[in-house]
Amino acid sequence: MQSQMGEVSHSADGHIMEIFHAIQGEGIYVGVQQIFLRLYRCNLRCAWCDTPESFHLTGKGEREDPPGSRIFHTFENPISIERTIEFLTPFFSLPHHSISLTGGEPLVQSPFLQKLLPILKEKKEVIFLETGGTLPDPLKPLLPFLDIISMDIKLPSSAEEKPLWDKHEEFLKLAAERNAYVKIVLTKDTAEEEILQALSLVKKVSRTIPVILQPVTPIYTLLPPTETQLLTWHYKALKLLQDVRVIPQTHKLIGQH
Ligand code: SF4
């Protein structure tokens, strides 16, 4: 699904919201330090979204300078590849596991990333993509440059999105060529049959793809599943797939945005 704001850009210049250094707070790589490149725009509107400010281009971005200081300076968008590399370079001297492309939905700016990622790979950087997992065509040209793909499966009852099963399946088949895992956000109102449908979709591609069940961090009126719901869903998931883990968002526990 692509709203007008989320249509895939054809521009080779980027719209970057933030560049900063932080600790990964979700999924399998929780706890590692990363350089975050947060891009504007998203093709989805998830009910629990905590970065709605990424939806609309403002013409301004922010970069942390010095890296790791939490002191931010604004810059103008759109931004060229050269300037992006100039802003990223000071971060390379800090300890980091990888560069996280996040958003918003980074794949909305696939043409920009097609120019940027080969340069980052020449610098031996590990590239980690965080994605909603619904834009397979923009993913294809980036696959050779991606090391890790963290892909969401959005459940219709909790994401308040229309069903995206076909797009997710097409996407996961491509992502599975790399080191990929799936993240599913759960609320207390999540429909169990949708969780099982998502797990079956993963199983169809490969039983060994890791899946993270992520209880929603309370936001707006959304509440996480109960302990009983989580235990039950986790048990059922482990009957279908080899590696399913329950991991909540941890960056919010340590006060990191
Ligand atoms: S995909 Fe991510 S950025 Fe986009 S609406 Fe959903 S949670 Fe927000």
Side-chain angles (χ1 to χ4, degrees):
M1 187 202 79
Q2 293 177 26
S3 68
Q4 196 176 352
M5 284 306 298
E7 282 169 10
V8 175
S9 160
H10 297 291
S11 170
D13 281 345
H15 289 270
I16 296 176
M17 187 173 150
E18 294 174 313
I19 302 173
F20 61 102
H21 187 259
I23 298 167
Q24 175 58 249
E26 298 182 357
I28 287 179
Y29 293 87
V30 68
V32 304
Q33 297 225 355
Q34 290 183 315
I35 300 165
F36 284 82
L37 185 63
R38 187 186 300 286
L39 299 174
Y40 275 111
R41 305 174 72 203
C42 187
N43 61 317
L44 302 178
R45 294 293 182 265
C46 304
W48 57 77
C49 184
D50 56 5
T51 50
E53 57 278 23
S54 67
F55 296 165
H56 304 292
L57 304 182
T58 64
K60 302 273 184 213
E62 290 195 319
R63 67 190 172 100
E64 192 181 36
D65 182 27
S69 66
R70 289 298 177 268
I71 298 168
F72 286 87
H73 302 265
T74 58
F75 59 85
E76 298 292 326
N77 279 309
I79 183 168
S80 67
I81 297 293
E82 294 73 21
R83 197 117 170 98
T84 304
I85 295 289
E86 181 191 323
F87 287 166
L88 282 170
T89 298
F91 287 84
F92 296 157
S93 58
L94 286 183
H96 62 283
H97 168 274
S98 46
I99 298 178
S100 174
L101 309 172
T102 188
E105 169 55 69
L107 294 176
V108 172
Q109 297 195 52
S110 178
F112 171 65
L113 295 175
Q114 286 169 47
K115 302 264 187 219
L116 180 65
L117 298 194
I119 300 171
L120 296 177
K121 289 310 295 175
E122 272 175 24
K123 295 179 184 296
K124 311 284 184 226
E125 292 293 331
V126 175
I127 309 296
F128 180 106
L129 172 69
E130 299 191 69
T131 172
T134 60
L135 297 175
D137 289 338
L139 172 69
K140 283 177 196 166
L142 299 176
L143 273 176
F145 308 105
L146 298 173
D147 297 289
I148 303 162
I149 300 177
S150 171
M151 170 198 162
D152 286 0
I153 291 184
K154 310 285 187 186
L155 303 184
S157 65
S158 43
E160 294 178 6
E161 280 282 352
K162 69 177 184 183
L164 297 159
W165 303 117
D166 291 348
K167 286 291 176 198
H168 280 319
E169 185 173 338
E170 193 183 343
F171 192 99
L172 184 56
K173 282 178 180 158
L174 293 167
E177 294 174 20
R178 315 302 291 172
N179 179 9
Y181 69 91
V182 169
K183 184 158 60 66
I184 306 172
V185 176
L186 304 174
T187 77
K188 75 174 185 39
D189 297 318
T190 299
E192 182 173 302
E193 60 270 21
E194 289 182 357
I195 304 174
L196 296 176
Q197 188 167 350
L199 297 168
S200 299
L201 185 157
V202 176
K203 187 179 172 190
K204 212 154 92 180
V205 179
S206 168
R207 273 198 84 225
T208 61
I209 294 173
V211 171
I212 305 301
L213 302 179
Q214 181 175 293
V216 73
T217 304
I219 184 168
Y220 314 124
T221 57
L222 295 175
L223 293 172
T226 63
E227 182 187 10
T228 307
Q229 282 176 308
L230 269 181
L231 282 167
T232 306
W233 293 339
H234 195 194
Y235 170 71
K236 291 187 176 178
L238 286 167
K239 285 175 131 182
L240 288 168
L241 299 171
Q242 267 181 21
D243 186 1
V244 185
R245 313 178 204 178
V246 176
I247 305 178
Q249 286 185 313
T250 63
H251 53 292
K252 296 190 178 165
L253 294 175
I254 59 172
Q256 199 178 260
H257 81 295

PDB file of all heavy atoms in Angstrom, residues 223-256:
ATOM      1  N   LEU A 223      -2.422  -1.389  24.395  1.00  0.00           N
ATOM      2  CA  LEU A 223      -1.788  -2.058  25.530  1.00  0.00           C
ATOM      3  C   LEU A 223      -1.161  -3.370  25.080  1.00  0.00           C
ATOM      4  O   LEU A 223      -1.645  -3.998  24.124  1.00  0.00           O
ATOM      5  CB  LEU A 223      -2.836  -2.338  26.615  1.00  0.00           C
ATOM      6  CG  LEU A 223      -3.418  -1.092  27.289  1.00  0.00           C
ATOM      7  CD1 LEU A 223      -4.575  -1.467  28.202  1.00  0.00           C
ATOM      8  CD2 LEU A 223      -2.330  -0.351  28.074  1.00  0.00           C
ATOM      9  N   PRO A 224      -0.096  -3.823  25.771  1.00  0.00           N
ATOM     10  CA  PRO A 224       0.536  -5.086  25.384  1.00  0.00           C
ATOM     11  C   PRO A 224      -0.323  -6.284  25.756  1.00  0.00           C
ATOM     12  O   PRO A 224      -1.238  -6.169  26.577  1.00  0.00           O
ATOM     13  CB  PRO A 224       1.837  -5.073  26.203  1.00  0.00           C
ATOM     14  CG  PRO A 224       1.569  -4.176  27.346  1.00  0.00           C
ATOM     15  CD  PRO A 224       0.569  -3.164  26.897  1.00  0.00           C
ATOM     16  N   PRO A 225      -0.025  -7.450  25.180  1.00  0.00           N
ATOM     17  CA  PRO A 225      -0.751  -8.672  25.550  1.00  0.00           C
ATOM     18  C   PRO A 225      -0.515  -9.003  27.017  1.00  0.00           C
ATOM     19  O   PRO A 225       0.480  -8.574  27.614  1.00  0.00           O
ATOM     20  CB  PRO A 225      -0.112  -9.746  24.661  1.00  0.00           C
ATOM     21  CG  PRO A 225       0.668  -9.025  23.628  1.00  0.00           C
ATOM     22  CD  PRO A 225       1.029  -7.692  24.183  1.00  0.00           C
ATOM     23  N   THR A 226      -1.410  -9.790  27.586  1.00  0.00           N
ATOM     24  CA  THR A 226      -1.211 -10.282  28.947  1.00  0.00           C
ATOM     25  C   THR A 226      -0.135 -11.377  28.918  1.00  0.00           C
ATOM     26  O   THR A 226       0.209 -11.911  27.850  1.00  0.00           O
ATOM     27  CB  THR A 226      -2.509 -10.901  29.495  1.00  0.00           C
ATOM     28  OG1 THR A 226      -2.826 -12.037  28.668  1.00  0.00           O
ATOM     29  CG2 THR A 226      -3.657  -9.893  29.493  1.00  0.00           C
ATOM     30  N   GLU A 227       0.333 -11.720  30.119  1.00  0.00           N
ATOM     31  CA  GLU A 227       1.335 -12.786  30.227  1.00  0.00           C
ATOM     32  C   GLU A 227       0.789 -14.095  29.638  1.00  0.00           C
ATOM     33  O   GLU A 227       1.492 -14.821  28.930  1.00  0.00           O
ATOM     34  CB  GLU A 227       1.695 -12.961  31.708  1.00  0.00           C
ATOM     35  CG  GLU A 227       2.752 -13.997  31.959  1.00  0.00           C
ATOM     36  CD  GLU A 227       2.958 -14.249  33.454  1.00  0.00           C
ATOM     37  OE1 GLU A 227       2.152 -13.753  34.270  1.00  0.00           O
ATOM     38  OE2 GLU A 227       3.909 -14.955  33.794  1.00  0.00           O
ATOM     39  N   THR A 228      -0.481 -14.373  29.939  1.00  0.00           N
ATOM     40  CA  THR A 228      -1.085 -15.617  29.441  1.00  0.00           C
ATOM     41  C   THR A 228      -1.165 -15.616  27.914  1.00  0.00           C
ATOM     42  O   THR A 228      -0.859 -16.629  27.260  1.00  0.00           O
ATOM     43  CB  THR A 228      -2.504 -15.795  30.032  1.00  0.00           C
ATOM     44  OG1 THR A 228      -2.403 -15.673  31.440  1.00  0.00           O
ATOM     45  CG2 THR A 228      -3.113 -17.139  29.671  1.00  0.00           C
ATOM     46  N   GLN A 229      -1.574 -14.478  27.350  1.00  0.00           N
ATOM     47  CA  GLN A 229      -1.635 -14.402  25.884  1.00  0.00           C
ATOM     48  C   GLN A 229      -0.247 -14.662  25.288  1.00  0.00           C
ATOM     49  O   GLN A 229      -0.088 -15.438  24.347  1.00  0.00           O
ATOM     50  CB  GLN A 229      -2.111 -13.003  25.444  1.00  0.00           C
ATOM     51  CG  GLN A 229      -3.607 -12.776  25.559  1.00  0.00           C
ATOM     52  CD  GLN A 229      -3.973 -11.337  25.192  1.00  0.00           C
ATOM     53  OE1 GLN A 229      -3.412 -10.382  25.717  1.00  0.00           O
ATOM     54  NE2 GLN A 229      -4.930 -11.191  24.290  1.00  0.00           N
ATOM     55  N   LEU A 230       0.764 -13.997  25.859  1.00  0.00           N
ATOM     56  CA  LEU A 230       2.122 -14.131  25.310  1.00  0.00           C
ATOM     57  C   LEU A 230       2.616 -15.565  25.386  1.00  0.00           C
ATOM     58  O   LEU A 230       3.185 -16.098  24.426  1.00  0.00           O
ATOM     59  CB  LEU A 230       3.088 -13.226  26.075  1.00  0.00           C
ATOM     60  CG  LEU A 230       3.282 -11.813  25.535  1.00  0.00           C
ATOM     61  CD1 LEU A 230       4.278 -11.067  26.407  1.00  0.00           C
ATOM     62  CD2 LEU A 230       3.761 -11.827  24.085  1.00  0.00           C
ATOM     63  N   LEU A 231       2.424 -16.193  26.556  1.00  0.00           N
ATOM     64  CA  LEU A 231       2.892 -17.573  26.727  1.00  0.00           C
ATOM     65  C   LEU A 231       2.197 -18.500  25.737  1.00  0.00           C
ATOM     66  O   LEU A 231       2.825 -19.370  25.126  1.00  0.00           O
ATOM     67  CB  LEU A 231       2.637 -18.036  28.162  1.00  0.00           C
ATOM     68  CG  LEU A 231       3.631 -17.524  29.208  1.00  0.00           C
ATOM     69  CD1 LEU A 231       3.105 -17.776  30.621  1.00  0.00           C
ATOM     70  CD2 LEU A 231       5.002 -18.195  29.024  1.00  0.00           C
ATOM     71  N   THR A 232       0.895 -18.293  25.571  1.00  0.00           N
ATOM     72  CA  THR A 232       0.123 -19.152  24.669  1.00  0.00           C
ATOM     73  C   THR A 232       0.584 -18.974  23.222  1.00  0.00           C
ATOM     74  O   THR A 232       0.828 -19.946  22.495  1.00  0.00           O
ATOM     75  CB  THR A 232      -1.384 -18.800  24.763  1.00  0.00           C
ATOM     76  OG1 THR A 232      -1.765 -18.880  26.126  1.00  0.00           O
ATOM     77  CG2 THR A 232      -2.232 -19.736  23.927  1.00  0.00           C
ATOM     78  N   TRP A 233       0.720 -17.699  22.812  1.00  0.00           N
ATOM     79  CA  TRP A 233       1.110 -17.438  21.419  1.00  0.00           C
ATOM     80  C   TRP A 233       2.535 -17.922  21.150  1.00  0.00           C
ATOM     81  O   TRP A 233       2.838 -18.432  20.084  1.00  0.00           O
ATOM     82  CB  TRP A 233       0.979 -15.944  21.111  1.00  0.00           C
ATOM     83  CG  TRP A 233      -0.450 -15.465  21.137  1.00  0.00           C
ATOM     84  CD1 TRP A 233      -1.573 -16.242  20.994  1.00  0.00           C
ATOM     85  CD2 TRP A 233      -0.915 -14.127  21.325  1.00  0.00           C
ATOM     86  NE1 TRP A 233      -2.699 -15.460  21.075  1.00  0.00           N
ATOM     87  CE2 TRP A 233      -2.338 -14.159  21.274  1.00  0.00           C
ATOM     88  CE3 TRP A 233      -0.300 -12.891  21.521  1.00  0.00           C
ATOM     89  CZ2 TRP A 233      -3.124 -13.023  21.410  1.00  0.00           C
ATOM     90  CZ3 TRP A 233      -1.078 -11.745  21.656  1.00  0.00           C
ATOM     91  CH2 TRP A 233      -2.478 -11.821  21.609  1.00  0.00           C
ATOM     92  N   HIS A 234       3.416 -17.731  22.153  1.00  0.00           N
ATOM     93  CA  HIS A 234       4.802 -18.172  21.972  1.00  0.00           C
ATOM     94  C   HIS A 234       4.851 -19.695  21.824  1.00  0.00           C
ATOM     95  O   HIS A 234       5.547 -20.231  20.940  1.00  0.00           O
ATOM     96  CB  HIS A 234       5.633 -17.717  23.184  1.00  0.00           C
ATOM     97  CG  HIS A 234       7.113 -17.802  22.957  1.00  0.00           C
ATOM     98  ND1 HIS A 234       8.024 -17.716  23.976  1.00  0.00           N
ATOM     99  CD2 HIS A 234       7.855 -17.988  21.826  1.00  0.00           C
ATOM    100  CE1 HIS A 234       9.252 -17.830  23.478  1.00  0.00           C
ATOM    101  NE2 HIS A 234       9.171 -17.989  22.181  1.00  0.00           N
ATOM    102  N   TYR A 235       4.113 -20.394  22.655  1.00  0.00           N
ATOM    103  CA  TYR A 235       4.064 -21.857  22.607  1.00  0.00           C
ATOM    104  C   TYR A 235       3.568 -22.332  21.236  1.00  0.00           C
ATOM    105  O   TYR A 235       4.169 -23.214  20.594  1.00  0.00           O
ATOM    106  CB  TYR A 235       3.157 -22.355  23.736  1.00  0.00           C
ATOM    107  CG  TYR A 235       2.815 -23.813  23.672  1.00  0.00           C
ATOM    108  CD1 TYR A 235       3.784 -24.782  23.943  1.00  0.00           C
ATOM    109  CD2 TYR A 235       1.524 -24.238  23.339  1.00  0.00           C
ATOM    110  CE1 TYR A 235       3.474 -26.134  23.879  1.00  0.00           C
ATOM    111  CE2 TYR A 235       1.212 -25.572  23.272  1.00  0.00           C
ATOM    112  CZ  TYR A 235       2.181 -26.523  23.537  1.00  0.00           C
ATOM    113  OH  TYR A 235       1.868 -27.847  23.465  1.00  0.00           O
ATOM    114  N   LYS A 236       2.484 -21.711  20.757  1.00  0.00           N
ATOM    115  CA  LYS A 236       1.939 -22.118  19.453  1.00  0.00           C
ATOM    116  C   LYS A 236       2.920 -21.813  18.327  1.00  0.00           C
ATOM    117  O   LYS A 236       3.044 -22.573  17.363  1.00  0.00           O
ATOM    118  CB  LYS A 236       0.591 -21.428  19.202  1.00  0.00           C
ATOM    119  CG  LYS A 236      -0.502 -21.943  20.127  1.00  0.00           C
ATOM    120  CD  LYS A 236      -1.872 -21.394  19.790  1.00  0.00           C
ATOM    121  CE  LYS A 236      -2.909 -22.040  20.719  1.00  0.00           C
ATOM    122  NZ  LYS A 236      -4.261 -21.574  20.524  1.00  0.00           N
ATOM    123  N   ALA A 237       3.624 -20.684  18.452  1.00  0.00           N
ATOM    124  CA  ALA A 237       4.598 -20.300  17.419  1.00  0.00           C
ATOM    125  C   ALA A 237       5.739 -21.306  17.350  1.00  0.00           C
ATOM    126  O   ALA A 237       6.213 -21.668  16.268  1.00  0.00           O
ATOM    127  CB  ALA A 237       5.132 -18.903  17.722  1.00  0.00           C
ATOM    128  N   LEU A 238       6.183 -21.775  18.524  1.00  0.00           N
ATOM    129  CA  LEU A 238       7.315 -22.705  18.560  1.00  0.00           C
ATOM    130  C   LEU A 238       6.946 -24.088  18.014  1.00  0.00           C
ATOM    131  O   LEU A 238       7.821 -24.899  17.728  1.00  0.00           O
ATOM    132  CB  LEU A 238       7.852 -22.815  19.990  1.00  0.00           C
ATOM    133  CG  LEU A 238       8.653 -21.582  20.437  1.00  0.00           C
ATOM    134  CD1 LEU A 238       8.883 -21.600  21.938  1.00  0.00           C
ATOM    135  CD2 LEU A 238       9.984 -21.495  19.689  1.00  0.00           C
ATOM    136  N   LYS A 239       5.661 -24.348  17.892  1.00  0.00           N
ATOM    137  CA  LYS A 239       5.254 -25.595  17.244  1.00  0.00           C
ATOM    138  C   LYS A 239       5.405 -25.505  15.725  1.00  0.00           C
ATOM    139  O   LYS A 239       5.472 -26.512  15.034  1.00  0.00           O
ATOM    140  CB  LYS A 239       3.797 -25.911  17.584  1.00  0.00           C
ATOM    141  CG  LYS A 239       3.618 -26.421  19.006  1.00  0.00           C
ATOM    142  CD  LYS A 239       2.167 -26.594  19.285  1.00  0.00           C
ATOM    143  CE  LYS A 239       1.872 -27.940  19.890  1.00  0.00           C
ATOM    144  NZ  LYS A 239       0.418 -28.114  20.118  1.00  0.00           N
ATOM    145  N   LEU A 240       5.410 -24.262  15.231  1.00  0.00           N
ATOM    146  CA  LEU A 240       5.485 -24.061  13.779  1.00  0.00           C
ATOM    147  C   LEU A 240       6.900 -23.761  13.286  1.00  0.00           C
ATOM    148  O   LEU A 240       7.284 -24.155  12.190  1.00  0.00           O
ATOM    149  CB  LEU A 240       4.577 -22.893  13.365  1.00  0.00           C
ATOM    150  CG  LEU A 240       3.072 -23.134  13.403  1.00  0.00           C
ATOM    151  CD1 LEU A 240       2.316 -21.818  13.244  1.00  0.00           C
ATOM    152  CD2 LEU A 240       2.675 -24.094  12.279  1.00  0.00           C
ATOM    153  N   LEU A 241       7.648 -22.999  14.109  1.00  0.00           N
ATOM    154  CA  LEU A 241       8.944 -22.496  13.652  1.00  0.00           C
ATOM    155  C   LEU A 241      10.033 -22.830  14.667  1.00  0.00           C
ATOM    156  O   LEU A 241       9.760 -22.991  15.856  1.00  0.00           O
ATOM    157  CB  LEU A 241       8.882 -20.972  13.464  1.00  0.00           C
ATOM    158  CG  LEU A 241       7.881 -20.462  12.423  1.00  0.00           C
ATOM    159  CD1 LEU A 241       7.777 -18.938  12.504  1.00  0.00           C
ATOM    160  CD2 LEU A 241       8.302 -20.890  11.027  1.00  0.00           C
ATOM    161  N   GLN A 242      11.284 -22.863  14.165  1.00  0.00           N
ATOM    162  CA  GLN A 242      12.403 -23.272  15.027  1.00  0.00           C
ATOM    163  C   GLN A 242      12.806 -22.219  16.053  1.00  0.00           C
ATOM    164  O   GLN A 242      13.190 -22.528  17.165  1.00  0.00           O
ATOM    165  CB  GLN A 242      13.626 -23.546  14.150  1.00  0.00           C
ATOM    166  CG  GLN A 242      13.754 -24.983  13.748  1.00  0.00           C
ATOM    167  CD  GLN A 242      15.001 -25.210  12.909  1.00  0.00           C
ATOM    168  OE1 GLN A 242      15.958 -24.436  12.930  1.00  0.00           O
ATOM    169  NE2 GLN A 242      14.982 -26.289  12.160  1.00  0.00           N
ATOM    170  N   ASP A 243      12.780 -20.943  15.646  1.00  0.00           N
ATOM    171  CA  ASP A 243      13.379 -19.898  16.474  1.00  0.00           C
ATOM    172  C   ASP A 243      12.402 -18.735  16.630  1.00  0.00           C
ATOM    173  O   ASP A 243      12.319 -17.877  15.751  1.00  0.00           O
ATOM    174  CB  ASP A 243      14.696 -19.436  15.814  1.00  0.00           C
ATOM    175  CG  ASP A 243      15.469 -18.451  16.675  1.00  0.00           C
ATOM    176  OD1 ASP A 243      15.012 -18.119  17.790  1.00  0.00           O
ATOM    177  OD2 ASP A 243      16.536 -18.000  16.224  1.00  0.00           O
ATOM    178  N   VAL A 244      11.660 -18.742  17.719  1.00  0.00           N
ATOM    179  CA  VAL A 244      10.713 -17.647  17.991  1.00  0.00           C
ATOM    180  C   VAL A 244      11.015 -17.122  19.389  1.00  0.00           C
ATOM    181  O   VAL A 244      11.109 -17.899  20.337  1.00  0.00           O
ATOM    182  CB  VAL A 244       9.245 -18.128  17.934  1.00  0.00           C
ATOM    183  CG1 VAL A 244       8.298 -16.939  18.096  1.00  0.00           C
ATOM    184  CG2 VAL A 244       8.963 -18.864  16.627  1.00  0.00           C
ATOM    185  N   ARG A 245      11.217 -15.819  19.501  1.00  0.00           N
ATOM    186  CA  ARG A 245      11.569 -15.224  20.798  1.00  0.00           C
ATOM    187  C   ARG A 245      10.629 -14.062  21.107  1.00  0.00           C
ATOM    188  O   ARG A 245      10.223 -13.339  20.193  1.00  0.00           O
ATOM    189  CB  ARG A 245      13.001 -14.700  20.779  1.00  0.00           C
ATOM    190  CG  ARG A 245      13.992 -15.702  20.201  1.00  0.00           C
ATOM    191  CD  ARG A 245      15.384 -15.135  20.140  1.00  0.00           C
ATOM    192  NE  ARG A 245      16.150 -15.826  19.105  1.00  0.00           N
ATOM    193  CZ  ARG A 245      17.395 -15.544  18.765  1.00  0.00           C
ATOM    194  NH1 ARG A 245      18.044 -14.577  19.402  1.00  0.00           N
ATOM    195  NH2 ARG A 245      18.010 -16.208  17.797  1.00  0.00           N
ATOM    196  N   VAL A 246      10.366 -13.863  22.384  1.00  0.00           N
ATOM    197  CA  VAL A 246       9.583 -12.704  22.826  1.00  0.00           C
ATOM    198  C   VAL A 246      10.564 -11.660  23.334  1.00  0.00           C
ATOM    199  O   VAL A 246      11.292 -11.907  24.307  1.00  0.00           O
ATOM    200  CB  VAL A 246       8.588 -13.096  23.939  1.00  0.00           C
ATOM    201  CG1 VAL A 246       7.846 -11.855  24.447  1.00  0.00           C
ATOM    202  CG2 VAL A 246       7.601 -14.144  23.424  1.00  0.00           C
ATOM    203  N   ILE A 247      10.627 -10.520  22.665  1.00  0.00           N
ATOM    204  CA  ILE A 247      11.558  -9.452  23.070  1.00  0.00           C
ATOM    205  C   ILE A 247      10.828  -8.112  22.987  1.00  0.00           C
ATOM    206  O   ILE A 247      10.422  -7.701  21.895  1.00  0.00           O
ATOM    207  CB  ILE A 247      12.814  -9.409  22.160  1.00  0.00           C
ATOM    208  CG1 ILE A 247      13.514 -10.774  22.108  1.00  0.00           C
ATOM    209  CG2 ILE A 247      13.784  -8.327  22.656  1.00  0.00           C
ATOM    210  CD1 ILE A 247      14.734 -10.818  21.185  1.00  0.00           C
ATOM    211  N   PRO A 248      10.663  -7.427  24.115  1.00  0.00           N
ATOM    212  CA  PRO A 248      10.037  -6.093  24.063  1.00  0.00           C
ATOM    213  C   PRO A 248      11.046  -5.044  23.612  1.00  0.00           C
ATOM    214  O   PRO A 248      12.244  -5.322  23.508  1.00  0.00           O
ATOM    215  CB  PRO A 248       9.630  -5.844  25.525  1.00  0.00           C
ATOM    216  CG  PRO A 248      10.613  -6.636  26.313  1.00  0.00           C
ATOM    217  CD  PRO A 248      11.019  -7.817  25.472  1.00  0.00           C
ATOM    218  N   GLN A 249      10.550  -3.833  23.350  1.00  0.00           N
ATOM    219  CA  GLN A 249      11.458  -2.719  23.029  1.00  0.00           C
ATOM    220  C   GLN A 249      12.269  -2.391  24.282  1.00  0.00           C
ATOM    221  O   GLN A 249      11.697  -2.164  25.346  1.00  0.00           O
ATOM    222  CB  GLN A 249      10.663  -1.481  22.640  1.00  0.00           C
ATOM    223  CG  GLN A 249      10.050  -1.549  21.265  1.00  0.00           C
ATOM    224  CD  GLN A 249       9.385  -0.227  20.907  1.00  0.00           C
ATOM    225  OE1 GLN A 249       8.649   0.340  21.704  1.00  0.00           O
ATOM    226  NE2 GLN A 249       9.639   0.257  19.707  1.00  0.00           N
ATOM    227  N   THR A 250      13.576  -2.367  24.166  1.00  0.00           N
ATOM    228  CA  THR A 250      14.406  -2.091  25.353  1.00  0.00           C
ATOM    229  C   THR A 250      14.957  -0.669  25.369  1.00  0.00           C
ATOM    230  O   THR A 250      15.308  -0.167  26.426  1.00  0.00           O
ATOM    231  CB  THR A 250      15.604  -3.064  25.428  1.00  0.00           C
ATOM    232  OG1 THR A 250      16.426  -2.851  24.277  1.00  0.00           O
ATOM    233  CG2 THR A 250      15.148  -4.500  25.465  1.00  0.00           C
ATOM    234  N   HIS A 251      15.024  -0.009  24.215  1.00  0.00           N
ATOM    235  CA  HIS A 251      15.627   1.331  24.210  1.00  0.00           C
ATOM    236  C   HIS A 251      14.800   2.310  25.029  1.00  0.00           C
ATOM    237  O   HIS A 251      15.341   3.237  25.627  1.00  0.00           O
ATOM    238  CB  HIS A 251      15.832   1.845  22.775  1.00  0.00           C
ATOM    239  CG  HIS A 251      14.621   1.815  21.909  1.00  0.00           C
ATOM    240  ND1 HIS A 251      14.037   0.657  21.493  1.00  0.00           N
ATOM    241  CD2 HIS A 251      13.888   2.815  21.381  1.00  0.00           C
ATOM    242  CE1 HIS A 251      12.997   0.938  20.738  1.00  0.00           C
ATOM    243  NE2 HIS A 251      12.883   2.245  20.664  1.00  0.00           N
ATOM    244  N   LYS A 252      13.479   2.056  25.098  1.00  0.00           N
ATOM    245  CA  LYS A 252      12.640   2.977  25.873  1.00  0.00           C
ATOM    246  C   LYS A 252      12.864   2.782  27.379  1.00  0.00           C
ATOM    247  O   LYS A 252      12.732   3.717  28.160  1.00  0.00           O
ATOM    248  CB  LYS A 252      11.181   2.796  25.492  1.00  0.00           C
ATOM    249  CG  LYS A 252      10.988   3.196  24.021  1.00  0.00           C
ATOM    250  CD  LYS A 252       9.597   3.295  23.549  1.00  0.00           C
ATOM    251  CE  LYS A 252       9.634   3.745  22.081  1.00  0.00           C
ATOM    252  NZ  LYS A 252       8.392   3.564  21.370  1.00  0.00           N
ATOM    253  N   LEU A 253      13.251   1.563  27.766  1.00  0.00           N
ATOM    254  CA  LEU A 253      13.542   1.306  29.192  1.00  0.00           C
ATOM    255  C   LEU A 253      14.753   2.092  29.664  1.00  0.00           C
ATOM    256  O   LEU A 253      14.879   2.411  30.846  1.00  0.00           O
ATOM    257  CB  LEU A 253      13.809  -0.201  29.413  1.00  0.00           C
ATOM    258  CG  LEU A 253      12.638  -1.148  29.186  1.00  0.00           C
ATOM    259  CD1 LEU A 253      13.118  -2.589  29.323  1.00  0.00           C
ATOM    260  CD2 LEU A 253      11.534  -0.866  30.181  1.00  0.00           C
ATOM    261  N   ILE A 254      15.682   2.362  28.736  1.00  0.00           N
ATOM    262  CA  ILE A 254      16.877   3.095  29.140  1.00  0.00           C
ATOM    263  C   ILE A 254      16.797   4.572  28.736  1.00  0.00           C
ATOM    264  O   ILE A 254      17.795   5.286  28.731  1.00  0.00           O
ATOM    265  CB  ILE A 254      18.173   2.449  28.576  1.00  0.00           C
ATOM    266  CG1 ILE A 254      18.133   2.386  27.036  1.00  0.00           C
ATOM    267  CG2 ILE A 254      18.369   1.049  29.153  1.00  0.00           C
ATOM    268  CD1 ILE A 254      19.466   1.950  26.416  1.00  0.00           C
ATOM    269  N   GLY A 255      15.573   4.991  28.393  1.00  0.00           N
ATOM    270  CA  GLY A 255      15.353   6.409  28.118  1.00  0.00           C
ATOM    271  C   GLY A 255      15.897   6.884  26.796  1.00  0.00           C
ATOM    272  O   GLY A 255      16.104   8.082  26.600  1.00  0.00           O
ATOM    273  N   GLN A 256      16.123   5.939  25.872  1.00  0.00           N
ATOM    274  CA  GLN A 256      16.645   6.311  24.567  1.00  0.00           C
ATOM    275  C   GLN A 256      15.475   6.488  23.593  1.00  0.00           C
ATOM    276  O   GLN A 256      14.556   5.679  23.598  1.00  0.00           O
ATOM    277  CB  GLN A 256      17.560   5.186  24.080  1.00  0.00           C
ATOM    278  CG  GLN A 256      18.519   5.575  23.004  1.00  0.00           C
ATOM    279  CD  GLN A 256      19.414   4.409  22.626  1.00  0.00           C
ATOM    280  OE1 GLN A 256      20.546   4.305  23.049  1.00  0.00           O
ATOM    281  NE2 GLN A 256      18.867   3.516  21.834  1.00  0.00           N
TER     282      GLN A 256
END
